[in-house]
PDB file of all heavy atoms in Angstrom:
ATOM      1  N   PHE A  61      54.178 171.531 159.831  1.00 98.00           N
ATOM      2  CA  PHE A  61      54.463 171.039 158.488  1.00 98.00           C
ATOM      3  C   PHE A  61      55.456 171.993 157.845  1.00 98.00           C
ATOM      4  O   PHE A  61      55.229 173.198 157.811  1.00 98.00           O
ATOM      5  CB  PHE A  61      53.163 170.951 157.679  1.00 98.00           C
ATOM      6  CG  PHE A  61      52.234 169.887 158.194  1.00 98.00           C
ATOM      7  CD1 PHE A  61      51.378 170.145 159.254  1.00 98.00           C
ATOM      8  CD2 PHE A  61      52.232 168.624 157.625  1.00 98.00           C
ATOM      9  CE1 PHE A  61      50.529 169.158 159.739  1.00 98.00           C
ATOM     10  CE2 PHE A  61      51.386 167.627 158.103  1.00 98.00           C
ATOM     11  CZ  PHE A  61      50.533 167.899 159.161  1.00 98.00           C
ATOM     12  N   TRP A  62      56.535 171.434 157.311  1.00 98.00           N
ATOM     13  CA  TRP A  62      57.657 172.248 156.838  1.00 98.00           C
ATOM     14  C   TRP A  62      58.407 171.489 155.741  1.00 98.00           C
ATOM     15  O   TRP A  62      58.068 170.358 155.402  1.00 98.00           O
ATOM     16  CB  TRP A  62      58.597 172.562 158.003  1.00 98.00           C
ATOM     17  CG  TRP A  62      59.359 171.354 158.472  1.00 98.00           C
ATOM     18  CD1 TRP A  62      58.863 170.288 159.179  1.00 98.00           C
ATOM     19  CD2 TRP A  62      60.727 171.059 158.220  1.00 98.00           C
ATOM     20  NE1 TRP A  62      59.856 169.363 159.397  1.00 98.00           N
ATOM     21  CE2 TRP A  62      61.006 169.806 158.813  1.00 98.00           C
ATOM     22  CE3 TRP A  62      61.747 171.736 157.567  1.00 98.00           C
ATOM     23  CZ2 TRP A  62      62.258 169.217 158.767  1.00 98.00           C
ATOM     24  CZ3 TRP A  62      63.007 171.148 157.520  1.00 98.00           C
ATOM     25  CH2 TRP A  62      63.255 169.907 158.128  1.00 98.00           C
ATOM     26  N   ALA A  63      59.442 172.103 155.197  1.00 97.00           N
ATOM     27  CA  ALA A  63      60.349 171.463 154.241  1.00 97.00           C
ATOM     28  C   ALA A  63      61.682 172.195 154.277  1.00 97.00           C
ATOM     29  O   ALA A  63      61.756 173.368 154.658  1.00 97.00           O
ATOM     30  CB  ALA A  63      59.773 171.500 152.828  1.00 97.00           C
ATOM     31  N   THR A  64      62.737 171.511 153.861  1.00 97.00           N
ATOM     32  CA  THR A  64      64.064 172.123 153.875  1.00 97.00           C
ATOM     33  C   THR A  64      64.148 173.305 152.918  1.00 97.00           C
ATOM     34  O   THR A  64      64.943 174.217 153.136  1.00 97.00           O
ATOM     35  CB  THR A  64      65.154 171.101 153.508  1.00 97.00           C
ATOM     36  OG1 THR A  64      64.848 170.523 152.238  1.00 97.00           O
ATOM     37  CG2 THR A  64      65.272 170.014 154.558  1.00 97.00           C
ATOM     38  N   TRP A  65      63.336 173.312 151.879  1.00 96.00           N
ATOM     39  CA  TRP A  65      63.371 174.377 150.872  1.00 96.00           C
ATOM     40  C   TRP A  65      62.454 175.559 151.209  1.00 96.00           C
ATOM     41  O   TRP A  65      62.420 176.538 150.488  1.00 96.00           O
ATOM     42  CB  TRP A  65      62.997 173.814 149.492  1.00 96.00           C
ATOM     43  CG  TRP A  65      61.809 172.905 149.518  1.00 96.00           C
ATOM     44  CD1 TRP A  65      61.835 171.527 149.555  1.00 96.00           C
ATOM     45  CD2 TRP A  65      60.438 173.273 149.527  1.00 96.00           C
ATOM     46  NE1 TRP A  65      60.560 171.023 149.587  1.00 96.00           N
ATOM     47  CE2 TRP A  65      59.673 172.080 149.567  1.00 96.00           C
ATOM     48  CE3 TRP A  65      59.756 174.492 149.511  1.00 96.00           C
ATOM     49  CZ2 TRP A  65      58.284 172.065 149.587  1.00 96.00           C
ATOM     50  CZ3 TRP A  65      58.365 174.481 149.524  1.00 96.00           C
ATOM     51  CH2 TRP A  65      57.653 173.286 149.562  1.00 96.00           C
ATOM     52  N   CYS A  66      61.740 175.473 152.311  1.00 96.00           N
ATOM     53  CA  CYS A  66      60.795 176.522 152.720  1.00 96.00           C
ATOM     54  C   CYS A  66      61.551 177.658 153.424  1.00 96.00           C
ATOM     55  O   CYS A  66      62.282 177.417 154.387  1.00 96.00           O
ATOM     56  CB  CYS A  66      59.759 175.907 153.651  1.00 96.00           C
ATOM     57  SG  CYS A  66      58.699 177.073 154.505  1.00 96.00           S
ATOM     58  N   ASN A  67      61.355 178.890 152.936  1.00 90.00           N
ATOM     59  CA  ASN A  67      62.123 180.035 153.431  1.00 90.00           C
ATOM     60  C   ASN A  67      62.023 180.287 154.932  1.00 90.00           C
ATOM     61  O   ASN A  67      63.020 180.539 155.582  1.00 90.00           O
ATOM     62  CB  ASN A  67      61.725 181.306 152.681  1.00 90.00           C
ATOM     63  CG  ASN A  67      62.273 181.330 151.286  1.00 90.00           C
ATOM     64  OD1 ASN A  67      63.284 180.709 150.993  1.00 90.00           O
ATOM     65  ND2 ASN A  67      61.591 182.026 150.396  1.00 90.00           N
ATOM     66  N   HIS A  68      60.831 180.252 155.493  1.00 95.00           N
ATOM     67  CA  HIS A  68      60.676 180.606 156.909  1.00 95.00           C
ATOM     68  C   HIS A  68      60.468 179.404 157.823  1.00 95.00           C
ATOM     69  O   HIS A  68      60.341 179.568 159.033  1.00 95.00           O
ATOM     70  CB  HIS A  68      59.508 181.575 157.095  1.00 95.00           C
ATOM     71  CG  HIS A  68      59.757 182.926 156.520  1.00 95.00           C
ATOM     72  ND1 HIS A  68      60.668 183.800 157.055  1.00 95.00           N
ATOM     73  CD2 HIS A  68      59.228 183.548 155.439  1.00 95.00           C
ATOM     74  CE1 HIS A  68      60.686 184.913 156.339  1.00 95.00           C
ATOM     75  NE2 HIS A  68      59.826 184.777 155.352  1.00 95.00           N
ATOM     76  N   CYS A  69      60.429 178.210 157.252  1.00 97.00           N
ATOM     77  CA  CYS A  69      60.137 177.030 158.066  1.00 97.00           C
ATOM     78  C   CYS A  69      61.185 176.783 159.151  1.00 97.00           C
ATOM     79  O   CYS A  69      60.837 176.477 160.292  1.00 97.00           O
ATOM     80  CB  CYS A  69      60.001 175.796 157.179  1.00 97.00           C
ATOM     81  SG  CYS A  69      58.516 175.781 156.159  1.00 97.00           S
ATOM     82  N   ASP A  70      62.462 176.922 158.804  1.00 97.00           N
ATOM     83  CA  ASP A  70      63.503 176.675 159.810  1.00 97.00           C
ATOM     84  C   ASP A  70      63.440 177.697 160.932  1.00 97.00           C
ATOM     85  O   ASP A  70      63.631 177.377 162.098  1.00 97.00           O
ATOM     86  CB  ASP A  70      64.892 176.610 159.187  1.00 97.00           C
ATOM     87  CG  ASP A  70      65.315 177.870 158.460  1.00 97.00           C
ATOM     88  OD1 ASP A  70      64.454 178.659 158.037  1.00 97.00           O
ATOM     89  OD2 ASP A  70      66.538 178.062 158.299  1.00 97.00           O
ATOM     90  N   GLU A  71      63.122 178.931 160.583  1.00 97.00           N
ATOM     91  CA  GLU A  71      62.990 179.992 161.595  1.00 97.00           C
ATOM     92  C   GLU A  71      61.851 179.651 162.571  1.00 97.00           C
ATOM     93  O   GLU A  71      61.989 179.810 163.786  1.00 97.00           O
ATOM     94  CB  GLU A  71      62.717 181.318 160.890  1.00 97.00           C
ATOM     95  CG  GLU A  71      62.674 182.519 161.779  1.00 97.00           C
ATOM     96  CD  GLU A  71      62.448 183.811 160.985  1.00 97.00           C
ATOM     97  OE1 GLU A  71      62.730 183.844 159.767  1.00 97.00           O
ATOM     98  OE2 GLU A  71      61.978 184.768 161.609  1.00 97.00           O
ATOM     99  N   GLU A  72      60.744 179.166 162.028  1.00 98.00           N
ATOM    100  CA  GLU A  72      59.604 178.805 162.865  1.00 98.00           C
ATOM    101  C   GLU A  72      59.950 177.612 163.760  1.00 98.00           C
ATOM    102  O   GLU A  72      59.663 177.620 164.962  1.00 98.00           O
ATOM    103  CB  GLU A  72      58.403 178.483 161.976  1.00 98.00           C
ATOM    104  CG  GLU A  72      57.114 178.297 162.747  1.00 98.00           C
ATOM    105  CD  GLU A  72      55.917 178.331 161.830  1.00 98.00           C
ATOM    106  OE1 GLU A  72      55.536 177.271 161.313  1.00 98.00           O
ATOM    107  OE2 GLU A  72      55.358 179.429 161.625  1.00 98.00           O
ATOM    108  N   LEU A  73      60.594 176.594 163.190  1.00 98.00           N
ATOM    109  CA  LEU A  73      60.989 175.439 163.997  1.00 98.00           C
ATOM    110  C   LEU A  73      62.001 175.812 165.072  1.00 98.00           C
ATOM    111  O   LEU A  73      61.963 175.266 166.178  1.00 98.00           O
ATOM    112  CB  LEU A  73      61.539 174.332 163.101  1.00 98.00           C
ATOM    113  CG  LEU A  73      60.480 173.502 162.379  1.00 98.00           C
ATOM    114  CD1 LEU A  73      61.118 172.645 161.299  1.00 98.00           C
ATOM    115  CD2 LEU A  73      59.689 172.656 163.349  1.00 98.00           C
TER     116      LEU A  73
END
Side-chain angles (χ1 to χ4, degrees):
F61 292 84
W62 71 287
T64 56
W65 45 262
C66 169
N67 286 334
H68 291 291
C69 289
D70 60 337
E71 185 178 338
E72 189 166 89
L73 281 168

